[in-house]
Amino acid sequence: MLVIRFEVEPPERPRTPRAERGRLGRLGTPAIVLGILAAILLTGVAVSQTGPSSRSSIHACVDRDSRAVRIVGSGRKCRRGEQRVRWARIGPVGDRGPAGAPGAPGAPGANGVAG
C-alpha cells in the first residue's frame, strides 16, 4: 500500500516597507482611537447640555374642543387644533403634615432564656 502525504504551507506575505503602509504610519491607530474618544465625549456633553426638559418634564398635546390629552415626546409637534402643554414630573416639596395619633400598646413578648 502506498501512502502519500501532502503538507500545504501558507504563502509568505511580502513585507511592505514603512513608507508604503499609509500616510499615518505608526501614529495612525492612536490618532484614530483618540479621535473616536473625543467624538464620544463631545456627543455626551452635547446631549447633557440639551436641557433637562425631556427627562424632567412631561410633554402633551391637548385637543382644544374635546380637551383630550395626548402624551408626546419632547420633539414632537402637536396636530392642528391641539395646544402644546408641559409640566414637571417632580414638583416642589410640600409642607410637613401634622403628627399622627399615638398607636395602641403592643402585646407582651415571650420570656427569654434564663442564663
Side-chain angles (χ1 to χ4, degrees):
M1 175 187 280
L2 179 65
V3 177
I4 301 175
R5 282 189 156 168
F6 290 100
E7 291 184 17
V8 179
E9 295 181 11
E12 282 190 32
R13 290 178 36 181
R15 296 200 38 97
T16 57
R18 283 188 181 215
E20 295 179 15
R21 288 186 188 171
R23 289 189 296 169
L24 298 176
R26 285 186 358 195
L27 297 177
T29 302
I32 291 171
V33 170
L34 286 175
I36 291 172
L37 289 175
I40 291 171
L41 178 67
L42 290 175
T43 302
V45 169
V47 168
S48 69
Q49 296 299 320
T50 56
S53 68
S54 62
R55 287 174 288 185
S56 64
S57 297
I58 298 173
H59 300 268
C61 297
V62 179
D63 188 283
R64 289 189 178 112
D65 296 329
S66 68
R67 295 299 199 200
V69 178
R70 183 173 59 92
I71 306 295
V72 296
S74 62
R76 301 290 305 257
K77 292 185 176 182
C78 292
R79 298 175 186 153
R80 187 175 294 156
E82 290 181 334
Q83 174 69 41
R84 184 159 186 87
V85 294
R86 183 183 77 182
W87 62 92
R89 290 183 184 205
I90 300 173
V93 177
D95 295 332
R96 186 177 180 119
N111 290 335
V113 177

